[in-house]
Amino acid sequence: AQSVTQLGSHVSVSEGALVLLRCNYSSSVPPYLFWYVQYPNQGLQLLLKYTSAATLVKGINGFEAEFKKSETSFHLTKPSAHMSDAAEYFCAVSDSRGGSNYKLTFGKGTLLTVNP
Amino acid sequence: DSGVTQTPKHLITATGQRVTLRCSPRSGDLSVYWYQQSLDQGLQFLIQYYNGEERAKGNILERFSAQQFPDLHSELNLSSLELGDSALYFCASSVVSGQRTVGAGYTFGSGTRLTVV
């Protein structure tokens, strides 16, 4: 079974400050990991994903995440927050085996607020 | 446009009524997933279909049911609606048919906002 824990349901940063959203996973098989972003009144959009290639993954809008197996973490970072980054962010895990039972398990989400 | 189409975008109905939400997956995707998102429960997995067959069930109420048709579109039926069923309902699709496509993740539709009054 897999699970995801997002530490902090709400993170507030100032514009220009570092963004750090934390995600820890639990998986009995090698995981694939994803970050999704949801802007108000919209669906979830894929931000980036780790699929066992490079451990440092770059995504859209300047975000990146690092897979650390020893820490079972996949934290999302951005060096300088922009007002447009205000949204809810979801971390998700799947196993790497695929098949018709393929399923993503999502964390509870972290709401990012960016203050001017 | 993500390629996953959900209709209607908004739905307002009265308690006790029945509604049907529709989802057309991205072209080529065989799996459809339904999620409910509310302020108090967050993103809750309801049910998954793969090529017309039910594959996984989550926190889906007995008043709710779903199906996937031969053309791969899916419908989520919600009956005997209660005020607490007011939420955003998302459909997502995935192409996964083998290990090489596992990294694709899900593609989400823009959701149907259901308001029960």
Side-chain angles (χ1 to χ4, degrees):
Chain A
Q2 299 153 304
S3 65
V4 168
T5 302
Q6 291 185 240
L7 299 175
S9 59
H10 189 190
V11 170
S12 183
V13 301
S14 298
E15 192 173 19
L18 171 71
V19 175
L20 171 60
L21 304 183
R22 299 177 187 274
C23 172
N24 288 89
Y25 70 91
S26 171
S27 178
S28 56
V29 297
Y32 285 176
L33 294 156
F34 306 81
W35 276 99
Y36 282 83
V37 59
Q38 184 182 26
Y39 298 103
N41 298 313
Q42 294 187 28
L44 278 71
Q45 177 186 353
L46 182 64
L47 198 56
L48 51 78
K49 60 186 178 183
Y50 164 76
T51 56
S52 77
T55 56
L56 182 62
V57 181
K58 294 187 186 300
I60 61 173
N61 301 335
F63 283 93
E64 63 182 36
E66 187 172 8
F67 172 69
K68 291 187 177 181
K69 184 178 178 181
S70 61
E71 299 177 7
T72 61
S73 69
F74 190 58
H75 301 331
L76 182 70
T77 60
K78 182 173 181 178
S80 177
H82 192 272
M83 297 294 289
S84 60
D85 295 327
E88 188 153 24
Y89 293 80
F90 292 90
C91 183
V93 62
S94 76
D95 70 45
S96 52
R97 294 171 294 183
S100 61
N101 291 327
Y102 178 71
K103 179 170 169 257
L104 289 185
T105 300
F106 286 87
K108 292 186 180 299
T110 297
L111 182 64
L112 175 66
T113 302
V114 182
N115 303 308
Chain B
D1 181 8
S2 68
V4 177
T5 303
Q6 288 189 250
T7 56
K9 291 194 183 304
H10 302 276
L11 198 49
I12 301 175
T13 190
T15 55
Q17 294 299 304
R18 182 179 189 274
V19 297
T20 298
L21 312 183
R22 183 188 168 101
C23 169
S24 293
R26 199 177 56 163
S27 178
D29 287 0
L30 299 176
S31 273
V32 168
Y33 310 79
W34 285 98
Y35 283 82
Q36 179 193 59
Q37 187 178 39
S38 59
L39 282 175
D40 53 344
Q41 296 291 324
L43 194 63
Q44 296 280 320
F45 168 68
L46 296 179
I47 197 164
Q48 177 207 354
Y49 278 82
Y50 176 82
N51 204 19
E53 295 186 4
E54 183 184 304
R55 274 289 184 259
K57 258 186 176 179
N59 301 321
I60 187 166
L61 300 172
E62 285 191 11
R63 301 182 285 108
F64 295 1
S65 65
Q67 55 184 326
Q68 186 180 28
F69 295 86
D71 66 352
L72 300 178
H73 91 270
S74 178
E75 292 181 356
L76 178 67
N77 300 298
L78 314 177
S79 61
S80 303
L81 285 167
E82 302 174 358
L83 295 178
D85 297 327
S86 295
L88 261 173
Y89 291 84
F90 286 108
C91 168
S93 71
S94 173
V95 69
V96 181
S97 58
Q99 190 168 16
R100 65 181 177 85
T101 55
V102 168
Y106 289 178
T107 301
F108 279 83
S110 57
T112 294
R113 182 173 294 280
L114 173 66
T115 303
V116 182
V117 296

